[in-house]
Amino acid sequence: MAAQTAVRTLIAPTEMNRRTGRFLYRFVLGATLLGFTAAFLFPLYWMASGALKSSSELAQPRPTMVPHSWHPEAYSEAWSSVGLGHYFLNTLLLAAGAWACQLVVDVAAAYSLSKLRPVLGNVVLAMMLATLMLPVSALLVPTYLTVVNVPLIHVNLINTPMAVWLPACANAFNIFILKRFFDQIPTELLDSARIDGAGTVRILVSLVLPLSRPVLAVVSIFAVVGVWKDFLWPMLVLPDPAKQPITVALNRLADDMPANQLLAGMVMASIPLLVLFLIFQRSIINGLTAGSLKG
């Protein structure tokens, strides 16, 4: 007889056979899901509903859950009065450039560490992952000094998109995710391509990248979101107001904008990221789990 594998769960199967056990299980599960949902959605609701309130209602010491009077015109006024469209274009430019640079550098680094097996490759990977242990604030000064005077070429990148693109190129977390996925691609498949005469770059472009669409989607989303929501670094390297992204612009204009228009601007700045997540949420999950198990 085949040995039966014991199944261990938080709730004993005998308790689930009872009416009280099933009720408690569903109650706790529902309460937990409801609590986590409220914790994530309530800030979004508070921001969106606050933009529909009047400035005087927002200034009241006792906050209101539902606006007493609705002011949807705050969104159009915020868009037209401060020129949010210009700052949206700046943000889109920074996000698109960082995405392209990051894909080129991270894919090349991950492919080299996974399939080309360079000397001391594991040491290089360990040093990359060690940078994840450092707080962002500890890297601000050396990174800023680098973009002010780029080594070897001695170019000042302040007030240029490269000041945002260059530090975003090498992302240790994305390199690690890509390497884990590339490790799962059978070496025999690459050897067959080499026998057919394909070179290293041809194998990467024609074979590895088409197989890596799920993880490339994840890395792309991480790259875009990381630049879109960043505030401190663009504020330091883009002091020119005409070149600032929307996060920095809203902070600079906060003192001159009514409170409801400021919240409306924040809502509009958040909508692209929410839409991006809702469209690609399945790709995010598939990409993160694609390299976790060997097939």
Side-chain angles (χ1 to χ4, degrees):
M1 294 179 62
Q4 294 183 353
T5 303
V7 179
R8 303 183 63 180
T9 61
L10 294 176
I11 301 177
T14 55
E15 293 293 333
M16 290 298 297
N17 293 331
R18 300 176 183 176
R19 185 176 181 180
T20 305
R22 292 195 299 269
F23 172 78
L24 290 176
Y25 171 76
R26 291 169 183 170
F27 175 78
V28 172
L29 178 62
T32 303
L33 292 177
L34 183 62
F36 276 103
T37 302
F40 282 101
L41 294 182
F42 181 75
L44 299 177
Y45 167 78
W46 188 258
M47 180 172 61
S49 63
L52 297 174
K53 300 176 183 178
S54 63
S55 297
S56 58
E57 185 177 353
L58 285 171
Q60 293 178 358
R62 181 173 296 180
T64 56
M65 294 295 297
V66 180
H68 290 163
S69 59
W70 298 79
H71 297 272
E73 67 276 5
Y75 286 92
S76 59
E77 292 174 355
W79 182 270
S80 59
S81 62
V82 299
L84 288 183
H86 173 73
Y87 300 116
F88 261 108
L89 291 178
N90 289 347
T91 309
L92 183 62
L93 173 64
L94 295 177
W99 165 76
C101 294
Q102 199 167 134
L103 275 189
V104 172
V105 175
D106 292 357
V107 167
Y111 180 71
S112 300
L113 293 172
S114 175
K115 297 303 181 184
L116 302 184
R117 306 288 183 177
V119 179
L120 301 178
N122 291 333
V123 176
V124 173
L125 178 62
M127 294 175 63
M128 288 183 181
L129 297 179
T131 61
L132 297 177
M133 302 297 105
L134 298 175
V136 177
S137 57
L139 301 175
L140 281 179
V141 173
T143 308
Y144 183 81
L145 294 177
T146 300
V147 299
V148 168
N149 186 11
V150 180
L152 300 180
I153 60 177
H154 302 291
V155 175
N156 189 342
L157 301 179
I158 297 298
N159 277 327
T160 66
M162 287 299 299
V164 176
W165 298 346
L166 184 62
C169 282
N171 188 297
F173 181 70
N174 288 343
I175 291 175
F176 176 71
I177 293 178
L178 288 167
K179 180 184 179 301
R180 287 291 304 273
F181 188 92
F182 292 162
D183 288 342
Q184 310 307 315
I185 299 178
T187 306
E188 294 79 6
L189 190 62
L190 275 62
D191 293 338
S192 300
R194 291 191 182 95
I195 293 175
D196 292 338
T200 302
V201 177
R202 180 65 181 274
I203 293 175
L204 173 63
V205 174
S206 302
L207 185 61
V208 175
L209 292 184
L211 295 175
S212 306
R213 289 175 182 172
V215 72
L216 290 177
V218 173
V219 172
S220 299
I221 293 172
F222 285 170
V224 172
V225 171
V227 174
W228 194 283
K229 68 182 182 63
D230 196 10
F231 166 74
L232 181 58
W233 182 249
M235 183 182 66
L236 292 176
V237 299
L238 298 174
D240 185 358
K243 299 180 180 180
Q244 291 175 345
I246 191 169
T247 53
V248 181
L250 286 174
N251 177 75
R252 177 174 53 83
L253 299 169
D255 295 336
D256 302 325
M257 294 177 64
N260 58 347
Q261 293 186 20
L262 178 61
L263 289 174
M266 293 179 180
V267 172
M268 289 186 285
S270 304
I271 287 176
L273 298 184
L274 294 176
V275 173
L276 188 68
F277 171 77
L278 293 176
I279 294 177
F280 295 103
Q281 58 177 326
R282 188 179 298 274
S283 298
I284 295 174
I285 298 174
N286 292 339
L288 288 176
T289 59
S292 59
L293 297 174
K294 291 186 177 181

